[in-house]
Amino acid sequence: MEGIRMAKSGWWYLKDCWENLEKIANEREVQKFSLNSSRQLSKFSTHLVGIVGECVVAAQSGRMLDERLLLAGDDGHDFDTGGKTVNVKTSCYSSDPHLKVLKNEKKWCDYYVLVVAEMVCRRARIAGYATLDMVKGAKVRSYGHGLVYSLTEGELLDGLPPCLKRTVK
């Protein structure tokens, strides 16, 4: 996606592509409004928060952002590469982000990537990733929206999963 750039600090700056990200998020919001499939856990649109995370992972891995509107959803994963599935989770808590995966998840992935988004600053960074085994072995918590497996940033592996080739350093 054009308009995204990474600083030496590891933050991806999205100001120049923000309007396009909002457009994609709004289209998804309208399409899925009647399905009641989103969990609103932020003052920002869950679709915008999610697309920000997906955009950063796509940029860092050299892949294209999937902008398609999928009525049935993304089948529980955001990237499918080399037979491995990856789900991107985005947190708006930059000081103590946690990777959260529902305990009763219907469709599991091989890897989960945590992206931290500072929505007001229009920037995001990759906090790390976890394997499915790490997630299922994680502490179970409740943040008030049901039971989740929870990993802190310090418990995650650095960077992106091996199936997502890194092209930007």
Side-chain angles (χ1 to χ4, degrees):
M1 170 171 284
E2 290 184 31
I4 180 172
R5 62 183 175 78
M6 186 169 112
K8 289 181 183 178
S9 64
W11 286 96
W12 285 89
Y13 287 86
L14 307 160
K15 187 177 114 179
D16 295 337
C17 66
W18 197 260
E19 190 175 308
N20 190 35
L21 295 174
E22 285 182 321
K23 178 180 172 280
I24 295 166
N26 288 337
E27 289 170 351
R28 290 180 181 180
E29 199 79 37
V30 167
Q31 178 197 37
K32 296 184 178 188
F33 179 76
S34 64
L35 301 177
N36 196 23
S37 63
S38 296
R39 297 181 338 137
Q40 190 67 39
L41 306 176
S42 165
K43 67 179 180 177
F44 297 95
S45 155
T46 56
H47 291 288
L48 180 58
V49 172
I51 200 74
V52 163
E54 293 170 32
C55 178
V56 167
V57 171
Q60 188 152 329
S61 66
R63 286 174 170 62
M64 296 295 296
L65 176 65
D66 187 353
E67 299 180 25
R68 296 175 298 160
L69 288 177
L70 304 169
L71 186 57
D74 60 14
D75 203 30
H77 61 272
D78 300 307
F79 295 91
D80 188 346
T81 179
K84 299 291 183 182
T85 55
V86 179
N87 196 338
V88 178
K89 301 291 188 179
T90 307
S91 173
C92 293
Y93 297 99
S94 58
S95 64
D96 185 23
H98 292 190
L99 173 67
K100 301 172 191 173
V101 180
L102 289 172
K103 190 167 187 295
N104 62 350
E105 190 78 24
K106 290 180 178 76
K107 298 178 181 176
W108 295 97
C109 287
D110 297 298
Y111 298 100
Y112 293 85
V113 176
L114 177 61
V115 173
V116 175
E118 290 186 349
M119 302 296 283
V120 173
C121 298
R122 297 184 178 178
R123 69 181 191 166
R125 66 177 175 82
I126 293 174
Y129 74 95
T131 65
L132 177 57
D133 288 341
M134 289 171 65
V135 169
K136 287 189 171 184
K139 192 179 293 185
V140 176
R141 293 181 158 164
S142 174
Y143 294 85
H145 305 282
L147 295 176
V148 295
Y149 291 110
S150 176
L151 291 157
T152 65
E153 183 173 5
E155 295 172 305
L156 300 175
L157 301 169
D158 290 335
L160 292 173
C163 63
L164 292 175
K165 181 182 172 192
R166 301 176 203 191
T167 58
V168 176
K169 296 182 181 181

